[in-house]
Amino acid sequence: MTGAARGLGEAIAARLAADGASVVLVDVSPDVLAAASALAGTGPGATTAGLVADVSDESACEDVIGRASARLGGVDLLVNNAGIGGPDTAVADTAVADFRRVLEVNLGGTFLASRAVARLMIAQGTGGAIVNLGSIFGQQGVAGGAGYCASKAGVALLTQSLALELAPHQIRVNTIAPGNMATEMHWEELRSRAAAAGTSFEEQVSLVRDGVPLGRHGTGADIAGAVAWLASRDASYVTGQTIGVNGGVWLS
């Protein structure tokens, strides 16, 4: 479970642990150690551990996946949640280093972790599941978000390629595309919008909620439920899909 120190990642890890899964939480932030400790003993027979690593670094990612597998005695599920928002500037004003960094973390990190886990799962010969976190903004471009949109769109197509390659090994790969979620990353985006528009943060929050048919922001529990389903036998015939968890925004 990458990107697990806070937000959606922490919520997903909490759900999996509560369901009885043993979970290794990975994040570039040392806060992941406390997050893992807080989940200890929350589920029947579940164990948790936290590991610090930057998934965009090839050697670090390979190492942390190997250590996670050793702690768990194998891997049957990978959740790729690690991600950053990136610059909120127009393409013409975006530094190439900033653009590349978003791709390295959001798309590159997903590729590296998936590659390492795929090799392990193939060797295990017992199948498995990979769940990638995309975004509604990987399905719809927005001004001032080219790096993030491109990275998440890439995740969706990486998922399809992986699903086809790994199907013979009974390894399923899917993407969840969250909509407007009540996370610090989203709040930072709305603060930036408010500053640019000369409005308040509260006004921006209301504008977003008004555009969601279900009338609220999504929560970590919403995403965690979808991950838990995709990891379960109930989803044994589901692979290569991008599943929107967005409160119905495409319907408005």
Side-chain angles (χ1 to χ4, degrees), residues 84-168:
I84 59 175
D88 59 358
T89 52
V91 170
D93 302 317
T94 299
V96 67
D98 294 336
F99 183 80
R100 284 176 174 161
R101 183 58 183 161
V102 181
L103 296 181
E104 287 169 356
V105 176
N106 297 0
L107 181 56
T110 298
F111 164 78
L112 290 171
S114 296
R115 184 181 68 174
V117 165
R119 290 169 175 170
L120 286 170
M121 288 180 174
I122 290 170
Q124 289 170 180
T126 54
I130 297 173
V131 180
N132 298 322
L133 269 291
S135 172
I136 192 171
F137 297 122
Q139 301 170 297
Q140 170 186 300
V142 294
Y148 187 79
C149 292
S151 70
K152 292 300 187 177
V155 166
L157 290 185
L158 173 63
T159 290
Q160 291 183 9
S161 293
L162 278 171
L164 291 170
E165 293 172 4
L166 298 178

Side-chain angles (χ1 to χ4, degrees), residues 36-37 78 134 191 200:
S37 294
L78 167 67
R191 291 186 190 103
S200 70

Side-chain angles (χ1 to χ4, degrees), residues 61-96:
C61 191
E62 291 279 349
D63 176 68
V64 79
I65 294 298
R67 285 191 287 150
S69 177
R71 290 205 179 203
L72 297 172
V75 177
D76 55 20
L77 170 67
L78 167 67
V79 180
N80 281 307
N81 175 71
I84 59 175
D88 59 358
T89 52
V91 170
D93 302 317
T94 299
V96 67

Side-chain angles (χ1 to χ4, degrees), residues 13 32 36 42-43 55 101 114 142 145 160 164 180 186 217 219 235-236:
V32 74
T42 56
V55 295
R101 183 58 183 161
S114 296
V142 294
Q160 291 183 9
L164 291 170
N180 297 292
H186 180 59
H217 278 80
T219 67
S236 63

